[in-house]
Amino acid sequence: MQRKIGVLTGGGDCPGLNAAIRAVTKSAIQRGFEVLGIHDGWRGLLDNKTMTLDRVNTSGIIDRGGTILGTSRVSPLKIENGPRQALDAVDKLGLEALVVLGGEGTLSVASKLSRMGLPVVGIPKTIDNDVMGTNFTIGFQTAVQIATEALDRLRSTAESHHRVMLLEVMGRHTGWIATFAGMANGADAILIPELPMDGAKLEELYSMLLTRYRRGVNFSIVVVAEGTVLEDKTVEVPSPTISTRSEPARLGGIANVLGDLIQSKTGLDTRVSSLGYIQRGGVPVAYDRSLATGFGVRATEAIESKTYGEMTAIKGNRIITVPLEEVEDKVRTLNLHIYRVAEVFFG
Ligand code: F6P
């Protein structure tokens, strides 16, 4: 019987997932495996929703955003008997191993299922870049590129109208996107979850913005990560369906709160934009395609050598694997040395 592996994408989508699906599929076929795509993350495994992946249906997808397999935030750990069902499903489908593309949530589930006996190899992906054990995740560089382009556009209109422009970017727990994009744009302030804002820090921000005007630079760009903590609080998107969601609360709106404060405390004309899901969609940049390709091939090699319970990672410019347990229930916050570089150009 032909050896068979499965592949699924879980959690929020990001550019580069299809490049990884293609890489896993084509490299696994070359090694003699059959490849089964599982729809909509863990949900598809529990509901037996699959498709055969082959050289034809994974051709021409390296530059396509999203995931051809679909995704969901369903976790077998939150379903009664879910872990058992997931392990049984893998057996029933005749899978020798499962490749799981996910962020911290999906990979933590994979790690726990691995301890229960699931033969799994993880691949880290999320625009947030907050997965432990790897320098970069698939999707991050594309999100940074999109956010940088948005900031560049905002700067020209900010200059014309002499305004303070705030851009809210994603980053539930971390300021990776905000800091990399802000640094690339030369932003005047970057607010991130790792550095909570209190009254004193707000005063510093107002004073910095006013000083710029006094110096004769009459516009400012402020990047705000959605998870920025203001006076010990984050801001959630108001949603009538929020109580029925088993998913984490949706963040969004902190930049509006800050924009109102800046306008009223400084008197400077202030406007707010939010990039939202635009930074998660569309064509992946070359770096994410290459990273996804490297990760996909490395994951197949790990399966070939039956090295399960591992996740592909990039450290320096080497693609390696690290134990999935390193990722479990942890978030990789921004390396503040990077922030200190961006900060040199504030104000
Ligand atoms: O994890 C990636 C991410 O884009 C976060 O930055 C954001 O908070 C979250 O997903 C949004 O999730 P959803 O797609 O469920 O609204």
Side-chain angles (χ1 to χ4, degrees):
M1 211 170 66
Q2 196 178 7
R3 299 169 74 189
K4 205 195 300 179
I5 64 165
V7 51
L8 66 80
T9 51
D13 74 339
C14 68
L17 284 173
N18 286 324
I21 293 167
R22 164 187 178 272
V24 170
T25 303
K26 294 195 174 189
S27 61
I29 288 172
Q30 262 180 37
R31 289 170 184 271
F33 289 97
E34 196 182 316
V35 184
L36 207 61
I38 293 155
H39 290 296
D40 301 334
W42 298 112
R43 183 199 285 159
L45 185 63
L46 302 176
D47 295 350
N48 193 24
K49 297 242 167 72
T50 64
M51 67 185 275
T52 299
L53 291 171
D54 55 34
R55 287 180 204 268
V56 175
N57 59 19
T58 57
S59 280
I61 64 167
I62 196 167
D63 59 348
R64 242 168 90 182
T67 159
I68 58 166
L69 293 174
T71 185
S72 75
R73 291 193 188 274
V74 168
S75 160
L77 301 181
K78 293 196 179 142
I79 295 169
E80 213 190 312
N81 212 20
R84 186 69 270 152
Q85 282 179 46
L87 292 174
D88 288 350
V90 167
D91 272 353
K92 240 197 198 135
L93 291 168
L95 302 178
E96 187 170 319
L98 192 61
V99 178
V100 171
L101 285 119
E104 175 265 318
T106 306
L107 294 172
S108 294
V109 173
S111 177
K112 287 168 189 162
L113 293 179
S114 161
R115 275 202 299 284
M116 295 176 195
L118 185 78
V120 64
V121 177
I123 296 183
K125 63 85 225 171
T126 164
I127 61 164
D128 288 359
N129 202 40
D130 59 358
V131 176
M132 292 296 284
T134 183
N135 291 157
F136 292 112
T137 55
I138 298 170
F140 170 63
Q141 296 289 354
T142 305
V144 168
Q145 186 64 34
I146 296 168
T148 304
E149 282 165 18
L151 287 166
D152 293 346
R153 286 174 192 279
L154 286 173
R155 189 166 55 209
S156 68
T157 169
E159 261 183 290
S160 309
H161 288 267
H162 321 308
R163 283 175 172 155
V164 178
M165 280 286 177
L166 277 73
L167 180 68
E168 183 171 307
V169 298
M170 281 186 170
R172 170 170 280 279
H173 305 290
T174 62
W176 286 99
I177 299 174
T179 304
F180 272 67
M183 184 159 47
N185 165 263
D188 304 299
I190 302 172
L191 311 187
I192 59 172
E194 290 88 340
L195 299 171
M197 294 295 286
D198 56 15
K201 291 221 174 96
L202 281 174
E203 289 301 330
E204 271 174 37
L205 177 65
Y206 305 146
S207 136
M208 180 275 283
L209 295 171
L210 288 167
T211 305
R212 270 174 71 78
Y213 276 72
R214 277 188 218 113
R215 273 209 314 262
V217 189
N218 52 11
F219 72 94
S220 296
I221 301 290
V222 180
V223 191
V224 185
E226 63 176 357
T228 297
V229 180
L230 179 58
E231 305 287 11
D232 289 332
K233 292 188 191 70
T234 50
V235 177
E236 289 174 16
V237 176
S239 160
T241 58
I242 209 119
S243 57
T244 60
R245 287 166 60 99
S246 61
E247 299 162 12
R250 266 161 53 207
L251 296 180
I254 182 78
N256 289 313
V257 176
L258 282 159
D260 286 350
L261 282 171
I262 291 171
Q263 171 92 43
S264 69
K265 300 287 179 177
T266 64
L268 299 170
D269 197 16
T270 303
R271 294 289 188 275
V272 177
S273 301
S274 179
L275 205 46
Y277 295 90
I278 291 166
Q279 69 211 288
R280 242 171 56 185
V283 176
V285 296
Y287 182 89
D288 279 329
R289 300 184 207 183
S290 313
L291 187 68
T293 303
F295 280 174
V297 172
R298 188 70 194 81
T300 313
E301 284 167 7
I303 287 174
E304 177 84 270
S305 61
K306 297 195 188 295
T307 319
Y308 303 135
E310 294 278 305
M311 176 190 84
T312 62
I314 183 157
K315 294 251 174 91
N317 52 17
R318 285 184 54 231
I319 291 183
I320 55 170
T321 64
V322 295
L324 258 177
E325 276 182 2
E326 269 189 35
V327 172
E328 210 175 300
D329 300 325
K330 287 185 216 92
V331 163
R332 180 169 166 262
T333 52
L334 177 74
N335 176 344
L336 289 180
H337 290 303
I338 302 168
Y339 188 87
R340 299 298 167 217
V341 174
E343 200 179 37
V344 171
F345 304 92
F346 287 2

